Amino acid sequence: MEDCIFCKIIKKEIPAKIVYEDENALAFLDVMPRSKGMCIVVPKKHYTDPSDDFETSSKIFDAALIVAEKIKKSLNPLGVFLSVIQTQIPHFHIRVYPVYQDQIPLFENRPQQTTEEELNSLAQKIKNENVEWKGRKEKIVEKIIEKGVEKQPEKEEENEQKNEENDFWFKRAEEMG
Ligand SMILES: [Zn+2]
């Protein structure tokens, strides 16, 4: 999208204080934060509604969780809020807000006054914090067990219909892996 501000940030046409980047996602500081260190996580691909691309959206949620952990470790807030709300920017994004004793990031709040210097220092702190990701695979395995569709390879020819369902979950697990 030509006029999309997030697409311009992704293409590095507009400078941003980037705190995290991977194959699918980019996260940067909000320059008008409702709490200090508030970040925005976006897919590198332009789309508006999270349901427009399930696969990518779930990876963006992963990235948002990583960013939330990085914020927790580096800025030591009381907690972190995540929100997905449609705004005037038609590019799917997740907002990650640190919550401090004196800064509860509510929508009625005015943006916090933040200087360029302060933004740079916040971005640096969040960026430098390494977070190990170990969520996704375990989750998928849990789901397979819940559904009772864990299969043994030798049973494959016995029940075609059941296997179709099994294949779906195994394919999912593979894709996610
Ligand atoms: Zn865009």
Side-chain angles (χ1 to χ4, degrees):
M1 276 274 284
E2 300 247 319
D3 306 329
C4 173
I5 185 167
F6 289 164
C7 283
K8 285 183 179 163
I9 288 174
I10 291 157
K11 283 188 244 155
K12 314 271 156 90
E13 288 170 11
I14 293 178
K17 315 288 181 202
I18 292 167
V19 298
Y20 174 83
E21 180 168 12
D22 64 29
E23 209 185 314
N24 303 286
L26 188 74
F28 45 88
L29 284 185
D30 191 318
V31 290
M32 304 260 278
R34 280 168 211 279
S35 66
K36 284 183 184 173
M38 176 192 164
C39 293
I40 297 175
V41 187
V42 299
K44 288 185 171 174
K45 180 179 160 189
H46 181 99
Y47 59 94
T48 305
D49 193 278
S51 64
D52 292 344
D53 185 337
F54 271 55
E55 204 61 43
T56 307
S57 296
S58 75
K59 287 173 184 159
I60 304 313
F61 277 100
D62 287 355
L65 289 173
I66 291 171
V67 171
E69 285 304 304
K70 283 160 83 70
I71 290 174
K72 276 185 207 163
K73 283 178 138 186
S74 57
L75 306 181
N76 201 29
L78 291 178
V80 175
F81 288 175
L82 278 89
S83 85
V84 180
I85 292 169
Q86 296 246 3
T87 64
Q88 62 270 44
I89 301 166
H91 188 129
F92 168 48
H93 55 284
I94 301 175
R95 289 155 183 256
V96 186
Y97 308 84
V99 183
Y100 307 98
Q101 193 87 52
D102 57 337
Q103 293 175 27
I104 308 293
L106 300 173
F107 279 97
E108 309 85 73
N109 285 8
R110 292 252 183 96
Q112 299 278 328
Q113 285 290 334
T114 317
T115 63
E116 179 79 14
E117 244 180 3
E118 202 173 357
L119 286 174
N120 282 333
S121 133
L122 285 165
Q124 209 58 40
K125 277 187 199 161
I126 299 170
K127 197 172 160 182
N128 289 345
E129 199 63 60
N130 281 320
V131 171
E132 200 192 328
W133 175 252
K134 44 182 163 56
R136 193 169 267 258
K137 230 169 198 168
E138 290 88 332
K139 282 259 162 60
I140 296 294
V141 170
E142 246 172 54
K143 184 123 196 174
I144 291 169
I145 294 164
E146 257 172 43
K147 285 227 137 199
V149 292
E150 210 172 7
K151 71 171 177 182
Q152 301 298 319
E154 61 268 23
K155 282 183 187 165
E156 225 164 316
E157 294 104 52
E158 285 176 18
N159 190 334
E160 286 276 326
Q161 255 187 339
K162 205 173 178 192
N163 281 331
E164 262 174 47
E165 197 191 350
N166 287 348
D167 286 342
F168 171 77
W169 289 107
F170 271 80
K171 204 159 164 259
R172 286 290 291 173
E174 233 171 60
E175 283 166 9
M176 302 281 191

